[in-house]
Amino acid sequence: MEAFRARLKRDPEVEETLAQLARDNDEPSVRASTVRLLASMSTSQSQDLAEELLAAECRRSGPPRFALDILTNRIRPAKELMRDVLRTSNG
Protein backbone atom coordinates (compact mmCIF):
# COMPACT_ATOMS: atom_id res chain seq x y z
CA MET A 1 0.00 0.00 0.00
CA GLU A 2 2.88 2.37 0.64
CA ALA A 3 4.00 2.03 -2.98
CA PHE A 4 0.52 2.94 -4.15
CA ARG A 5 0.35 5.89 -1.75
CA ALA A 6 3.71 7.13 -3.06
CA ARG A 7 2.48 6.78 -6.64
CA LEU A 8 -0.60 8.88 -5.87
CA LYS A 9 1.61 11.60 -4.40
CA ARG A 10 3.97 11.53 -7.39
CA ASP A 11 1.29 11.39 -10.05
CA PRO A 12 -2.03 13.06 -9.15
CA GLU A 13 -3.48 11.94 -12.48
CA VAL A 14 -3.70 8.38 -11.11
CA GLU A 15 -6.23 9.55 -8.52
CA GLU A 16 -8.28 11.34 -11.19
CA THR A 17 -8.17 8.26 -13.44
CA LEU A 18 -9.47 6.04 -10.63
CA ALA A 19 -12.22 8.54 -9.78
CA GLN A 20 -13.26 8.68 -13.43
CA LEU A 21 -13.32 4.87 -13.57
CA ALA A 22 -15.79 4.85 -10.67
CA ARG A 23 -17.96 7.49 -12.32
CA ASP A 24 -18.00 5.75 -15.70
CA ASN A 25 -18.51 2.18 -14.48
CA ASP A 26 -21.98 1.44 -13.11
CA GLU A 27 -20.90 -1.84 -11.44
CA PRO A 28 -21.45 -1.30 -7.68
CA SER A 29 -18.37 -3.30 -6.65
CA VAL A 30 -16.10 -1.29 -8.95
CA ARG A 31 -17.50 1.98 -7.64
CA ALA A 32 -17.36 0.96 -3.98
CA SER A 33 -13.89 -0.56 -4.24
CA THR A 34 -12.50 2.53 -5.94
CA VAL A 35 -13.98 4.87 -3.35
CA ARG A 36 -12.77 2.66 -0.48
CA LEU A 37 -9.28 2.45 -1.99
CA LEU A 38 -9.02 6.22 -2.45
CA ALA A 39 -10.38 6.82 1.05
CA SER A 40 -7.86 4.39 2.56
CA MET A 41 -5.13 6.48 0.92
CA SER A 42 -6.70 9.67 2.32
CA THR A 43 -6.93 11.21 -1.12
CA SER A 44 -8.46 14.60 -1.70
CA GLN A 45 -11.22 13.25 -3.94
CA SER A 46 -12.49 10.36 -1.83
CA GLN A 47 -15.15 12.29 0.11
CA ASP A 48 -16.46 14.16 -2.94
CA LEU A 49 -16.54 10.96 -4.96
CA ALA A 50 -18.35 9.09 -2.17
CA GLU A 51 -20.95 11.87 -1.95
CA GLU A 52 -21.43 11.85 -5.72
CA LEU A 53 -21.79 8.08 -5.98
CA LEU A 54 -24.02 7.86 -2.89
CA ALA A 55 -26.34 10.43 -4.47
CA ALA A 56 -26.36 8.39 -7.69
CA GLU A 57 -27.26 5.21 -5.75
CA CYS A 58 -30.04 7.05 -3.90
CA ARG A 59 -31.52 8.29 -7.20
CA ARG A 60 -31.71 4.75 -8.60
CA SER A 61 -35.05 3.02 -8.58
CA GLY A 62 -35.45 -0.64 -7.85
CA PRO A 63 -33.97 -2.86 -5.19
CA PRO A 64 -30.79 -1.87 -3.35
CA ARG A 65 -27.53 -2.83 -5.03
CA PHE A 66 -24.79 -4.73 -3.30
CA ALA A 67 -21.03 -4.46 -3.62
CA LEU A 68 -17.94 -6.24 -2.41
CA ASP A 69 -16.27 -4.34 0.44
CA ILE A 70 -12.56 -4.66 -0.33
CA LEU A 71 -11.62 -3.87 3.27
CA THR A 72 -13.68 -6.62 4.89
CA ASN A 73 -14.18 -8.94 1.90
CA ARG A 74 -17.93 -8.94 2.57
CA ILE A 75 -20.88 -8.17 0.31
CA ARG A 76 -22.70 -5.10 1.61
CA PRO A 77 -25.23 -2.56 0.31
CA ALA A 78 -23.45 -0.07 -1.97
CA LYS A 79 -25.08 2.88 -0.18
CA GLU A 80 -23.72 1.63 3.15
CA LEU A 81 -20.17 1.48 1.79
CA MET A 82 -20.35 5.07 0.53
CA ARG A 83 -21.76 6.20 3.88
CA ASP A 84 -18.89 4.45 5.68
CA VAL A 85 -16.39 6.45 3.63
CA LEU A 86 -18.21 9.68 4.46
CA ARG A 87 -18.41 8.87 8.17
CA THR A 88 -14.72 7.98 8.29
CA SER A 89 -13.57 11.04 6.38
CA ASN A 90 -15.77 13.36 8.47
CA GLY A 91 -14.07 12.33 11.66
Side-chain angles (χ1 to χ4, degrees):
M1 289 295 256
E2 286 305 314
F4 184 66
R5 188 182 318 270
R7 176 65 191 262
L8 286 175
K9 286 181 182 177
R10 266 193 335 270
D11 190 359
E13 290 179 3
V14 171
E15 180 180 354
E16 181 55 41
T17 299
L18 288 171
Q20 194 60 47
L21 169 72
R23 287 182 188 104
D24 292 347
N25 192 317
D26 192 42
E27 171 59 41
S29 289
V30 171
R31 286 181 159 193
S33 294
T34 304
V35 170
R36 295 285 269 183
L37 177 63
L38 291 174
S40 73
M41 296 289 120
S42 300
T43 66
S44 60
Q45 290 192 37
S46 62
Q47 184 172 358
D48 292 342
L49 185 60
E51 288 173 353
E52 178 183 333
L53 297 181
L54 175 59
E57 284 297 317
C58 290
R59 285 191 302 270
R60 291 184 62 83
S61 60
R65 299 194 319 162
F66 291 83
L68 176 65
D69 183 342
I70 61 171
L71 297 182
T72 64
N73 201 32
R74 290 181 25 230
I75 302 294
R76 299 175 55 202
K79 290 179 191 177
E80 187 179 303
L81 289 169
M82 301 305 169
R83 287 184 181 118
D84 281 356
V85 169
L86 294 171
R87 269 193 300 276
T88 303
S89 59
N90 284 332

